[in-house]
Amino acid sequence: MALFIVQLLTGLANAMFLFLVASGLSLIFGVTRIVNFAHGSFYMLAAYLASSLAAALPLGPASFYAAVVLAPLGVALLGGLIEVCLLRRIYRAPELYQVLLTFAVVLVIGDAVKFFWGTENRTGPSPPGLSGSVPILGQLFPTYDLAILLLGPLLALGLWWVLHRTRWGILIRAATSDREMVGALGVNQAWLFTGVFVLGTWLAGLAGALQMPRVALTTVMDSTVIVETFVVVVIGGMGSAFGALLGAVLIGVLQAFGILWLPREFQLAIIFILMAAVLILRPWGLLGRPETESGTAGEALRREVGGRLRPPRWVWAGILLALMVLPSLLPTFYVWVLVEILAFALFAGSLQLLVGTGGMLSFGHAAYFGLGAYGAALLMKQAALPMPVAFLLAPLVAAAAALFFGAFCVRLSGVYFAMLTLAFAQIAFAVVHQWYDFTGGDNGILGVWPAASLAAPVRYYYLALLAAVCGLSALWRVTGSPFGYTLRAARDHPRRCQAVGVNVRSHRLLAFGVAGFFAGLGGAVFAFAKGSVFPDYLSMPMSVQSLVMVLLGGIHALAGAPVGAAVYKLLDIVITKYTGYWQAVLGGILVFLVVAFPHGLVGFVQARWARMRASLG
Amino acid sequence: MLDVIDLDAYYGLSHILFGVCLRAARGEVVALLGRNGAGKSTTLKAIMGLVPPAAGRVIFRGEDITGKPPHVICRKGIGFVPEDRRIFPDLTVWENLEVGRSVEGNGERRWTAERAFELFPALKELARRRSDSLSGGEQQMLAIARTLMGNPDLLLLDEPSEGLAPLVVRTMAEHILRLKQAGITILLSEQNLHFATRVSDRAYILEKGRIQYEGGMAELSANAEVRRRYLMV
Ligand SMILES: Nc1ncnc2c1ncn2[C@@H]1O[C@H](COP(=O)(O)OP(=O)(O)O)[C@@H](O)[C@H]1O
Ligand SMILES: [Mg+2]
C-alpha cells in the first residue's frame, strides 16, 4: 500500500512536468496550428541554461531559484524571436513545411547545446532547502517532488486564470476555435500568435528549469520529452490546456505503475498504444473538439507548380549508363555511398507518393523502412532463409505492416493522421527496441551480409541499382496512373470525390501499402549494405530525415526523391568532413530551403524551365 | 460610405466574382440578393479582406482598403457577421462579446456589453452561459452584438434571416431597422426577399458572380419580371 501511494505520488510529480510542457505545446498548436517539434528543445535549453545560471549567479543559495525564474524567461524570449523571424513566414504553408522548419530549429538548438555544454551528461545542482526526503507511510519521498506536487496545481490554476479571466486569454481560446473570425473582429493575429508562442515556450522552459535537479541533463532530452508531449497532447486534445493536464496525469501515472507491473517489452510501447487507441476512437482527444471547416487552413499551397519537366529518353538512358559505369571508376567507399543513396531514394520516393501525390503527411515512415530492414535480417537469421529470398520477402513484411497500421490511419486526416503514423512508428520502434530475445533489442542484429555471390561491393551495387530503378519507375507509374490521379483528386477535393462515389479511404490505404512496400525494399537494400540492423532505423529522426529528402527534391517533383536523397547524403559527407556540427548546418539549410525554395530543388528547376519555355514561346 | 468597383475574386483557380460594382451611402440599408451560390458571401468576404480581391477596388470613406488584412479593415469601421455566425462555442456569451470589443483608444466607445444587451435583451440573461447552448436566433443576435462591439460604421450581414423561425425573422427585421436608426450603414445579403423588402432601401441582384440588377427596393417589389428571372419568386 505504501509503495503504491509513493509510486502514485512519483507519477503525479512527473505528470506536473509533462503538463507544463504539453500545455505549452497545446496552446501553440491550438492558435497557430503548428506542430512545434522545437518545443522539446526549449525545454532542454532551459534545463542547461538554468544549471549554468545556478552555478554562475553570485546569490548563494538563492541562485538556484533565481536560475529557475530566469532561464525560462530567456528561452521564452528566444521563442518569440524565432516566431517573429521564421514561423511568421509559413503560417499559410502546408503542414510539411511548418514541421520541417520547426525541426530545423531542433537541429540548431541541439547542436548549440552540444557546443556550449558538451555531450557529457550533466547533473544539475540540488535545490537548497528542498534537497532531502520526507517519510511518507514509512517510505522516503523526495522533498523537491513534494514541492513540485504543490507547485503544479498552482501553476495550472494560474494558467486557468490567464485563459479565463484576462482579455488575452479569452482571445487565445477564441482563436483556438476560429482564428480567422478573431481576425475579422479586429484582432491582429500576428501579435496573438507571437504572444501564445512566447507563453508556450515559457511553459516548456519552466518545466526544463524545474526538472534540472531531478534528472541527468542529456543532449537527447529534447527528443524524449517531445515524443511524450505529443502523446499527452493527442490524448488530452490538441489545443486544450486542460486536456494536457488530464493527459499528463494519465501518462505520468501509467508510466509510474508500468515500471512496476508491466513486462519490459511493453513499458515503452504502452503510452503509444494508449495514444493510438485514443486517436482511433476519438481522434480529437479526450477534451479536444473535432476540427471544423473554418479551423483548417493552409490549402493554398497544395497546387503543383511549374511545368512537368519531361526529359527525353536519352537523358534517362545517359543517367542510367552513368550509374552503371560509375562504380567501377569509384573507390569502394563511394560505391557504398551510392548504395545508401539508392536505398534512401526508394525510402524518399515511397514517402513522396504519400505526401506529394496523396497529401498524407506521415511522421512515421521510417517504421516501414526499418521493418523492411528487420524483415530481411530476421528472415535470414531467425527463419534461416537464403539471403536473396529474405531480400525479396522483406518488402512484403513492411507492406503488411503498412496495410495494418494504414487501415487505422486513413480514417484520419491532416495533423491527426500524422500523429497516428507517429504513434504506430513509435510502437514498432519500442517493440524492436525492447524485445531482446527476438530482435536483439538495442544491440540490433549483426552479420546481415549479402550472399557470397553478391557480396562484392560492385555486385551488391548492381542489385541495389536494379531495386531502385524498378522501385522508382513503379512508383512513378503509380503516380501517373488513373489511381494516382484519383489520389491527387482526393488530396485536393476530398469531399467532392466522396460525393461522386470514390472510396477515398481505400485509395489512400492502397497508397499507404504501396509506399510501405517500397520503403521496405529500401530498408532491405540498406540492411545488407550495412551488414547490421538497429532500432534507430525505425526512429523518429529517421522519419524526419526522409521528409527532409522529399522536401529537398520537391514534394511534387517526380525526380525529387532520388535527387533529394543524393543531395542529402552528399551534404552529410561533405559537411561532416569540415565540422562536427552537421546537424546545425542541416538545420540552416532547411530554414533556407523552406523560406527560399518551398518547392524543392527539382521543383525550382521545373518552374524555371516552364518560365523559360513560356518566354521562348 | 462604401464603393466597390469592378471586383474580381477567385477560390483557388475558380473565378467567382466578375467585375462586381456596388455602393452604399451613409445610413442606407442595401440588400444583395441572389440565389444560392451566386457569390453573395464571396462579395462580403472580399470587402472584408477574408478573400483576397484579384482585381478591382474597395473604397471605404474615400480610402482604398483593397487587400488589407481583415483586422485592419475591421478597425477602419467595417463589421462582418458571417453566414454561419461563427460563434466561439467554448466561450460564454459575455466572452464572445469581449473578443469583438474594440480596444482602440481613439473616439468615444459607443458600444459596450450593456448597450448590446439593451438592444438584445434576450442575451442579457445568457451572459454567463456557454454560447454553444444558444438557439439559432440567439446565436444570430450574439453574432451581431459581437460585431457591434467593434463600433462599426458599416455592417456586413450575411443572410441574417437564414435558418431562423418565422417569428424570430420578424424580430430580426426590427433589430436591423433599429441599427439603421442608430446611424449604422448596412449591407446585407439575402435570399429571403420578403425579409429584404422589409428592411432595405435599395437592392442589387447578383447572379453567377455578376451584378444583374440595381434599383430601389420598392421598384424591385413592383417588377415581377426581374424577380422571376433572378430570384425565382
Ligand atoms: N471555400 C470555397 N472554396 C471554393 N469554392 C467556393 C468556396 N466557397 C464558395 N465557393 C463557390 O463560390 C460560389 C459562390 O459562393 P457564395 O459566395 O458562397 O454564394 P452565396 O453566398 O451567394 O450562396 C459557389 O459556386 C461556391 O460553390
Ligand atoms: Mg452565402
Side-chain angles (χ1 to χ4, degrees), chain A residues 167 173 178 180 183 186 289, chain B residues 75 86 90 95 98 130:
Chain A
R167 174 177 166 82
R173 284 162 54 227
D178 190 345
E180 192 189 50
R289 269 186 172 276
Chain B
R75 288 178 188 184
R86 290 167 77 168
D90 296 327
E95 286 172 336
E98 175 63 24
R130 261 173 70 109

Side-chain angles (χ1 to χ4, degrees), chain A residues 467-547:
Chain A
V469 168
C470 293
L472 287 174
S473 39
L475 281 165
W476 294 342
R477 292 220 154 201
V478 169
T479 306
S481 69
F483 173 75
Y485 281 99
T486 313
L487 270 184
R488 250 172 281 173
R491 171 193 72 194
D492 297 337
H493 311 284
R495 286 232 230 96
R496 229 181 283 171
C497 279
Q498 209 96 47
V500 299
V502 173
N503 188 338
V504 171
R505 276 187 195 172
S506 63
H507 277 80
R508 288 189 171 158
L509 179 56
L510 189 55
F512 205 85
V514 170
F517 181 89
F518 289 108
L521 184 60
V525 169
F526 193 68
F528 290 113
K530 289 277 166 186
S532 51
V533 294
F534 295 103
D536 49 319
Y537 293 5
L538 292 79
S539 64
M540 191 176 77
M542 198 69 156
S543 294
V544 174
Q545 244 181 54
S546 59
L547 285 170

Side-chain angles (χ1 to χ4, degrees), chain A residues 163-165 167 170-171 173-190 289 294 303, chain B residues 13 48 50 70-71 74-75 80 82 85-86 88-92 94-95 98-101 103 130 132 146-147:
Chain A
L163 289 178
H164 289 260
R165 289 290 177 267
R167 174 177 166 82
I170 291 170
L171 292 180
R173 284 162 54 227
T176 300
S177 58
D178 190 345
R179 54 187 176 157
E180 192 189 50
M181 194 63 222
V182 172
L185 289 168
V187 177
N188 185 349
Q189 293 182 60
R289 269 186 172 276
S294 45
R303 239 173 321 139
Chain B
L13 294 178
M48 198 61 208
L50 291 166
H71 73 271
C74 174
R75 288 178 188 184
F80 173 59
R85 284 131 207 184
R86 290 167 77 168
F88 304 114
D90 296 327
L91 273 54
T92 64
W94 184 86
E95 286 172 336
E98 175 63 24
V99 177
R101 181 166 69 87
V103 287
R130 261 173 70 109
D132 55 358
R146 182 178 68 178
T147 301

